[in-house]
Amino acid sequence: MAASFRETLSIIIPAYNEADSLPAVLTSCQQLDPLEIIVVANGCTDQTASIAKSYGCKVIVEPEPLGNDIGRALGAASASGDVLLFLDADFSISPKELHHFLLPI
């Protein structure tokens, strides 16, 4: 992979009861070496937020389900990076494939 995005990349992941799939998603994201990973845990009744915290993510907890668009907006508003990568918490994408989203930058 090319250079690290540590100083510029914020990964934003809206999540609604994603405790089963989130660990694989976060493991893949960490391999991109981002500045931060933000998980917007909205309407969750499972361990989504605590799993995200255990991976060192910035976690925004909203008690009501928000939908993806509002979750993305909340994550973007709290992001520190110049580059925002929005992902879904339902399934993992390999770091090699994720990196292709960053190549045009």
Side-chain angles (χ1 to χ4, degrees), residues 27-58:
T27 297
S28 181
C29 290
Q30 287 176 332
Q31 293 181 42
L32 292 177
D33 196 26
L35 171 64
E36 62 190 351
I37 301 172
I38 302 168
V39 175
V40 182
N42 64 101
C44 294
T45 58
D46 66 359
Q47 298 300 313
T48 295
S50 62
I51 290 169
K53 287 178 186 173
S54 76
Y55 277 78
C57 298
K58 180 177 184 178

